Amino acid sequence: MIDLKYNESSQLRVRLAILESQLKMANTKFEQLKKTNKDKSSPTKQFQAM
């Protein structure tokens, strides 16, 4: 049988890397949504839609 040892420091580094990745993706998505919302509310876009 293989004896697996739990390494708390290693586990925390992995969790931190996952959280950092998720935060980066969320920030990217937020910036895209902000840009999309800004484009939709600009006067030129509203005028073109009419």
Side-chain angles (χ1 to χ4, degrees):
M1 179 179 243
I2 299 173
D3 187 22
L4 299 176
K5 296 189 178 183
Y6 174 75
N7 184 334
E8 184 179 3
S9 179
S10 177
Q11 179 74 20
L12 290 173
R13 276 196 297 271
V14 169
R15 288 182 181 185
L16 180 59
I18 292 168
L19 288 172
E20 286 175 337
S21 175
Q22 290 174 331
L23 181 59
K24 183 178 178 184
M25 291 295 293
N27 281 335
T28 301
K29 190 68 170 175
F30 176 72
E31 290 300 324
Q32 289 173 346
L33 289 171
K34 206 163 63 168
K35 183 176 185 275
T36 301
N37 190 37
K38 185 178 178 184
D39 289 347
K40 286 182 180 178
S41 65
S42 73
T44 54
K45 291 282 182 183
Q46 288 177 353
F47 182 74
Q48 289 174 354
M50 292 181 175

